[in-house]
Amino acid sequence: MPPSELAPTPAQLVDMHRRMARIRHFEEEAGKLVEGGKIPGALHLYVGEEAVAAGVMVHLDVDDQITSTHRGHGHVIAKGGDFKLMYAELFGKATGYCRGKGGSMHISDLDLGILGANGIVAGSVPIAVGAAFANRYRDTDRVTVCFFGDGASNEGAFHEAANMAALYQLPVVFVCENNLYGEFTSQPRHQRVTDIADRAVGYGMPGVIADGMDASAVFGAAGECIARARAGGGPSLLECKTYRFYDHVGVTGMRIPYRDEAEVDEWKGRDPIAALELRLVEEDVLTADAVAAVHQSVVAEIADAIAFAEASPDPDISSLTEDVYSNPIEPGGVR
Ligand SMILES: Cc1ncc(C[n+]2csc(CCOP(=O)(O)OP(=O)(O)O)c2C)c(N)n1
Ligand SMILES: [Mg+2]
């Protein structure tokens, strides 16, 4: 497919910038909290990949749906997720999205069309296709966008779901965030293809590549895929080439030497937020002061949300078996 000619308006650039700044600050603070031992569990930070979530989500209505991954905070934030409920969930508090029982990898908000992050790699792909099937069946014009990684593109669940989506021409867009690594394994060590978008031809759908460090490029490519799906033109596979600035888990992670420092620095030099800000100022869309004001307002909102989360109560022990699918074990027995 040729590169998209669909370009964002100034207002859409500003909108994407705000979504990206919201993700970046949320993640930077979450990283500090987890490194400081204040947040339990594993956090997979999205820093560096913000242009993908923003460039896609700016096209979606609240009724449109997304499915997400273990690296899902950015998707939830860009779709309108509530900072307070997110941080409270990360802290394991009763006021969190999952009442403190799900943590980072299980955040969902059905009112916002966020069908769930998912700790099972590629687990959310068939869910997206099922949602798209339901949307078609109910004759809605909703689009479902499914985010997943390069590693996930090797899973059977992805291939089965992609085949079915193409077969039935379902209104779903598969957005592959190719950050060049699955955990600590580089892409050439886990698959023969370089462009995951090439796999689309095997299912009979269009495959598109976008620079995932450029919000406008993602905007153009995603806009076309989403419009096609909404108009009944079926699914497509959009591969966004991107990079995570931090480790697979947490900030410093497990200190496994699997990436060259020079490679990391090179990608950090392509920071999608800095690049967009340069453009916003150069094109007189925002002044430098207005850009700074966006950051200031997000930082203040985040401080409030963290204070809310820290002041929130832990879940009561009596809620342990509520909202979970497993049957409670009878005293003295095993099910
Ligand atoms: C089915 C399954 N297999 C393995 C894992 C362990 N695991 C967690 S994240 C991950 C890497 C996923 O890589 P990718 O899809 O590229 O996403 P990224 O972490 O790069 O965003 C793996 C193997 C898992 N959670 N689920
Ligand atoms: Mg990856």
Side-chain angles (χ1 to χ4, degrees):
M1 295 249 318
S4 170
E5 287 176 13
L6 190 66
T9 62
Q12 285 167 326
L13 287 174
V14 171
D15 181 343
M16 289 192 290
H17 174 253
R18 187 168 180 83
R19 291 180 206 239
M20 291 164 74
R22 287 172 66 78
I23 299 171
R24 176 67 58 94
H25 288 293
F26 180 95
E27 293 290 68
E28 295 286 5
E29 290 309 310
K32 287 181 206 158
L33 290 165
V34 80
E35 294 286 304
K38 289 200 167 183
I39 287 179
L43 289 199
H44 303 82
L45 299 176
Y46 192 69
V47 172
E49 305 188 18
E50 295 92 344
V52 183
V56 169
M57 238 63 84
V58 75
H59 295 287
L60 299 184
D61 298 328
V62 72
D63 279 349
D64 292 322
Q65 299 163 326
I66 60 164
T67 65
S68 178
T69 67
H70 55 286
R71 199 175 302 289
H73 307 154
H75 308 139
V76 174
I77 293 167
K79 189 76 167 63
D82 186 312
F83 278 164
K84 287 186 175 162
L85 304 191
M86 290 183 73
Y87 274 122
E89 190 56 40
L90 265 47
F91 274 94
K93 297 297 184 82
T95 52
Y97 261 118
C98 311
R99 301 188 196 184
K101 291 182 219 168
S104 164
M105 286 183 271
H106 299 96
I107 293 176
S108 64
D109 186 331
L110 299 186
D111 292 337
L112 294 175
I114 302 167
L115 304 186
N118 204 314
I120 310 294
V121 170
S124 64
V125 188
I127 294 171
V129 172
F133 188 95
N135 291 332
R136 158 68 62 74
Y137 194 75
R138 291 175 177 151
D139 207 18
T140 73
D141 73 344
R142 278 182 181 165
V143 172
T144 308
V145 176
C146 168
F147 293 92
F148 61 102
D150 48 297
S153 77
N154 297 332
E155 292 280 350
F158 164 68
H159 299 285
E160 295 168 35
N163 181 63
M164 188 171 176
L167 180 67
Y168 295 124
Q169 290 290 281
L170 297 178
V172 59
V173 179
F174 299 101
V175 177
C176 182
E177 299 179 314
N178 182 1
N179 59 13
L180 310 181
Y181 291 86
E183 286 192 340
F184 312 104
T185 308
S186 67
Q187 195 195 354
R189 295 182 62 223
H190 75 65
Q191 56 191 197
R192 279 283 167 188
V193 290
T194 303
D195 295 328
I196 294 167
D198 285 350
R199 290 187 164 173
V201 72
Y203 312 110
M205 66 171 93
V208 193
I209 298 172
D211 178 355
M213 307 306 272
D214 177 350
S216 289
V218 176
F219 175 95
E224 291 193 354
C225 294
I226 290 165
R228 180 184 306 109
R230 208 183 292 289
S236 40
L237 170 57
L238 168 59
E239 176 188 6
C240 297
K241 310 272 191 189
T242 183
Y243 204 78
R244 61 172 154 72
F245 289 178
Y246 293 128
D247 215 322
H248 171 62
V249 181
V251 175
T252 48
M254 298 167 78
R255 298 182 194 281
I256 295 173
Y258 66 99
R259 302 197 297 193
D260 265 3
E261 280 309 311
E263 178 189 283
V264 178
D265 288 346
E266 191 191 322
W267 281 89
K268 282 184 178 171
R270 298 184 52 209
D271 186 320
I273 298 180
L276 180 54
E277 289 177 353
L278 204 64
R279 177 170 171 196
L280 286 168
V281 173
E282 267 177 14
E283 294 181 8
D284 288 329
V285 178
L286 287 182
T287 62
D289 283 351
V291 169
V294 171
H295 288 285
Q296 277 158 17
S297 79
V298 174
V299 166
E301 200 189 334
I302 281 177
D304 269 3
I306 293 175
F308 166 83
E310 285 190 303
S312 290
D314 289 326
D316 192 85
I317 192 73
S318 64
S319 71
L320 191 66
T321 55
E322 291 168 7
D323 307 315
V324 290
Y325 290 107
S326 59
N327 285 332
I329 296 171
E330 303 292 342
V334 178
R335 285 188 184 218

PDB file of all heavy atoms in Angstrom, residues 34-50:
ATOM      1  N   VAL A  34       7.155   2.261  40.879  1.00  0.00           N
ATOM      2  CA  VAL A  34       7.467   0.824  40.920  1.00  0.00           C
ATOM      3  C   VAL A  34       8.926   0.609  41.316  1.00  0.00           C
ATOM      4  O   VAL A  34       9.243  -0.292  42.099  1.00  0.00           O
ATOM      5  CB  VAL A  34       7.078   0.108  39.597  1.00  0.00           C
ATOM      6  CG1 VAL A  34       8.091   0.310  38.498  1.00  0.00           C
ATOM      7  CG2 VAL A  34       6.827  -1.372  39.820  1.00  0.00           C
ATOM      8  N   GLU A  35       9.811   1.474  40.823  1.00  0.00           N
ATOM      9  CA  GLU A  35      11.231   1.332  41.192  1.00  0.00           C
ATOM     10  C   GLU A  35      11.417   1.639  42.683  1.00  0.00           C
ATOM     11  O   GLU A  35      12.285   1.071  43.334  1.00  0.00           O
ATOM     12  CB  GLU A  35      12.111   2.275  40.354  1.00  0.00           C
ATOM     13  CG  GLU A  35      12.143   1.945  38.869  1.00  0.00           C
ATOM     14  CD  GLU A  35      12.962   0.710  38.505  1.00  0.00           C
ATOM     15  OE1 GLU A  35      14.146   0.674  38.856  1.00  0.00           O
ATOM     16  OE2 GLU A  35      12.414  -0.202  37.870  1.00  0.00           O
ATOM     17  N   GLY A  36      10.589   2.533  43.200  1.00  0.00           N
ATOM     18  CA  GLY A  36      10.666   2.881  44.618  1.00  0.00           C
ATOM     19  C   GLY A  36       9.953   1.890  45.512  1.00  0.00           C
ATOM     20  O   GLY A  36       9.864   2.096  46.722  1.00  0.00           O
ATOM     21  N   GLY A  37       9.403   0.853  44.926  1.00  0.00           N
ATOM     22  CA  GLY A  37       8.743  -0.186  45.719  1.00  0.00           C
ATOM     23  C   GLY A  37       7.352   0.199  46.205  1.00  0.00           C
ATOM     24  O   GLY A  37       6.755  -0.484  47.021  1.00  0.00           O
ATOM     25  N   LYS A  38       6.803   1.287  45.662  1.00  0.00           N
ATOM     26  CA  LYS A  38       5.474   1.708  46.137  1.00  0.00           C
ATOM     27  C   LYS A  38       4.341   1.001  45.404  1.00  0.00           C
ATOM     28  O   LYS A  38       3.231   0.881  45.918  1.00  0.00           O
ATOM     29  CB  LYS A  38       5.323   3.226  45.966  1.00  0.00           C
ATOM     30  CG  LYS A  38       6.178   4.013  46.930  1.00  0.00           C
ATOM     31  CD  LYS A  38       5.623   5.416  47.047  1.00  0.00           C
ATOM     32  CE  LYS A  38       6.244   6.133  48.226  1.00  0.00           C
ATOM     33  NZ  LYS A  38       5.665   7.468  48.409  1.00  0.00           N
ATOM     34  N   ILE A  39       4.608   0.588  44.172  1.00  0.00           N
ATOM     35  CA  ILE A  39       3.609  -0.146  43.388  1.00  0.00           C
ATOM     36  C   ILE A  39       4.091  -1.588  43.284  1.00  0.00           C
ATOM     37  O   ILE A  39       5.238  -1.828  42.883  1.00  0.00           O
ATOM     38  CB  ILE A  39       3.447   0.479  41.978  1.00  0.00           C
ATOM     39  CG1 ILE A  39       2.690   1.799  42.060  1.00  0.00           C
ATOM     40  CG2 ILE A  39       2.759  -0.472  41.041  1.00  0.00           C
ATOM     41  CD1 ILE A  39       2.527   2.477  40.704  1.00  0.00           C
ATOM     42  N   PRO A  40       3.238  -2.543  43.623  1.00  0.00           N
ATOM     43  CA  PRO A  40       3.657  -3.945  43.517  1.00  0.00           C
ATOM     44  C   PRO A  40       3.487  -4.484  42.095  1.00  0.00           C
ATOM     45  O   PRO A  40       2.758  -3.899  41.287  1.00  0.00           O
ATOM     46  CB  PRO A  40       2.686  -4.661  44.463  1.00  0.00           C
ATOM     47  CG  PRO A  40       1.439  -3.828  44.406  1.00  0.00           C
ATOM     48  CD  PRO A  40       1.871  -2.412  44.158  1.00  0.00           C
ATOM     49  N   GLY A  41       4.137  -5.561  41.796  1.00  0.00           N
ATOM     50  CA  GLY A  41       3.906  -6.250  40.521  1.00  0.00           C
ATOM     51  C   GLY A  41       4.765  -5.724  39.391  1.00  0.00           C
ATOM     52  O   GLY A  41       5.655  -4.896  39.577  1.00  0.00           O
ATOM     53  N   ALA A  42       4.476  -6.242  38.191  1.00  0.00           N
ATOM     54  CA  ALA A  42       5.269  -5.907  37.001  1.00  0.00           C
ATOM     55  C   ALA A  42       4.560  -4.820  36.198  1.00  0.00           C
ATOM     56  O   ALA A  42       3.374  -4.930  35.920  1.00  0.00           O
ATOM     57  CB  ALA A  42       5.437  -7.153  36.138  1.00  0.00           C
ATOM     58  N   LEU A  43       5.305  -3.802  35.830  1.00  0.00           N
ATOM     59  CA  LEU A  43       4.769  -2.755  34.949  1.00  0.00           C
ATOM     60  C   LEU A  43       5.556  -2.772  33.654  1.00  0.00           C
ATOM     61  O   LEU A  43       6.783  -2.685  33.665  1.00  0.00           O
ATOM     62  CB  LEU A  43       4.932  -1.361  35.555  1.00  0.00           C
ATOM     63  CG  LEU A  43       4.110  -0.930  36.749  1.00  0.00           C
ATOM     64  CD1 LEU A  43       4.119   0.584  36.845  1.00  0.00           C
ATOM     65  CD2 LEU A  43       2.699  -1.437  36.664  1.00  0.00           C
ATOM     66  N   HIS A  44       4.850  -2.837  32.548  1.00  0.00           N
ATOM     67  CA  HIS A  44       5.494  -2.781  31.233  1.00  0.00           C
ATOM     68  C   HIS A  44       5.244  -1.389  30.681  1.00  0.00           C
ATOM     69  O   HIS A  44       4.128  -1.077  30.275  1.00  0.00           O
ATOM     70  CB  HIS A  44       4.907  -3.845  30.311  1.00  0.00           C
ATOM     71  CG  HIS A  44       5.011  -5.240  30.851  1.00  0.00           C
ATOM     72  ND1 HIS A  44       4.112  -5.750  31.753  1.00  0.00           N
ATOM     73  CD2 HIS A  44       5.916  -6.212  30.620  1.00  0.00           C
ATOM     74  CE1 HIS A  44       4.460  -6.995  32.054  1.00  0.00           C
ATOM     75  NE2 HIS A  44       5.544  -7.301  31.379  1.00  0.00           N
ATOM     76  N   LEU A  45       6.279  -0.576  30.682  1.00  0.00           N
ATOM     77  CA  LEU A  45       6.092   0.836  30.333  1.00  0.00           C
ATOM     78  C   LEU A  45       6.054   1.045  28.815  1.00  0.00           C
ATOM     79  O   LEU A  45       6.745   0.363  28.062  1.00  0.00           O
ATOM     80  CB  LEU A  45       7.181   1.683  30.978  1.00  0.00           C
ATOM     81  CG  LEU A  45       7.181   1.614  32.513  1.00  0.00           C
ATOM     82  CD1 LEU A  45       8.355   2.412  33.078  1.00  0.00           C
ATOM     83  CD2 LEU A  45       5.874   2.124  33.101  1.00  0.00           C
ATOM     84  N   TYR A  46       5.253   2.027  28.423  1.00  0.00           N
ATOM     85  CA  TYR A  46       4.969   2.296  27.009  1.00  0.00           C
ATOM     86  C   TYR A  46       5.790   3.480  26.487  1.00  0.00           C
ATOM     87  O   TYR A  46       5.658   3.869  25.328  1.00  0.00           O
ATOM     88  CB  TYR A  46       3.463   2.583  26.915  1.00  0.00           C
ATOM     89  CG  TYR A  46       2.851   2.609  25.539  1.00  0.00           C
ATOM     90  CD1 TYR A  46       2.712   1.455  24.776  1.00  0.00           C
ATOM     91  CD2 TYR A  46       2.359   3.801  25.017  1.00  0.00           C
ATOM     92  CE1 TYR A  46       2.107   1.487  23.536  1.00  0.00           C
ATOM     93  CE2 TYR A  46       1.746   3.842  23.765  1.00  0.00           C
ATOM     94  CZ  TYR A  46       1.631   2.675  23.032  1.00  0.00           C
ATOM     95  OH  TYR A  46       1.021   2.705  21.796  1.00  0.00           O
ATOM     96  N   VAL A  47       6.653   4.035  27.327  1.00  0.00           N
ATOM     97  CA  VAL A  47       7.411   5.239  26.957  1.00  0.00           C
ATOM     98  C   VAL A  47       8.192   5.002  25.661  1.00  0.00           C
ATOM     99  O   VAL A  47       8.900   3.992  25.534  1.00  0.00           O
ATOM    100  CB  VAL A  47       8.375   5.651  28.093  1.00  0.00           C
ATOM    101  CG1 VAL A  47       9.300   6.779  27.644  1.00  0.00           C
ATOM    102  CG2 VAL A  47       7.585   6.055  29.323  1.00  0.00           C
ATOM    103  N   GLY A  48       8.057   5.895  24.709  1.00  0.00           N
ATOM    104  CA  GLY A  48       8.695   5.767  23.404  1.00  0.00           C
ATOM    105  C   GLY A  48       7.687   5.401  22.315  1.00  0.00           C
ATOM    106  O   GLY A  48       7.888   5.682  21.146  1.00  0.00           O
ATOM    107  N   GLU A  49       6.584   4.753  22.718  1.00  0.00           N
ATOM    108  CA  GLU A  49       5.632   4.232  21.729  1.00  0.00           C
ATOM    109  C   GLU A  49       4.355   5.076  21.651  1.00  0.00           C
ATOM    110  O   GLU A  49       3.377   4.686  21.011  1.00  0.00           O
ATOM    111  CB  GLU A  49       5.281   2.777  22.084  1.00  0.00           C
ATOM    112  CG  GLU A  49       6.521   1.889  22.218  1.00  0.00           C
ATOM    113  CD  GLU A  49       6.204   0.396  22.382  1.00  0.00           C
ATOM    114  OE1 GLU A  49       5.079  -0.029  22.072  1.00  0.00           O
ATOM    115  OE2 GLU A  49       7.108  -0.341  22.807  1.00  0.00           O
ATOM    116  N   GLU A  50       4.379   6.245  22.293  1.00  0.00           N
ATOM    117  CA  GLU A  50       3.152   7.033  22.467  1.00  0.00           C
ATOM    118  C   GLU A  50       2.470   7.437  21.162  1.00  0.00           C
ATOM    119  O   GLU A  50       1.243   7.592  21.110  1.00  0.00           O
ATOM    120  CB  GLU A  50       3.454   8.318  23.264  1.00  0.00           C
ATOM    121  CG  GLU A  50       3.897   8.103  24.692  1.00  0.00           C
ATOM    122  CD  GLU A  50       5.412   8.012  24.849  1.00  0.00           C
ATOM    123  OE1 GLU A  50       6.108   7.807  23.823  1.00  0.00           O
ATOM    124  OE2 GLU A  50       5.903   8.147  25.972  1.00  0.00           O
TER     125      GLU A  50
END
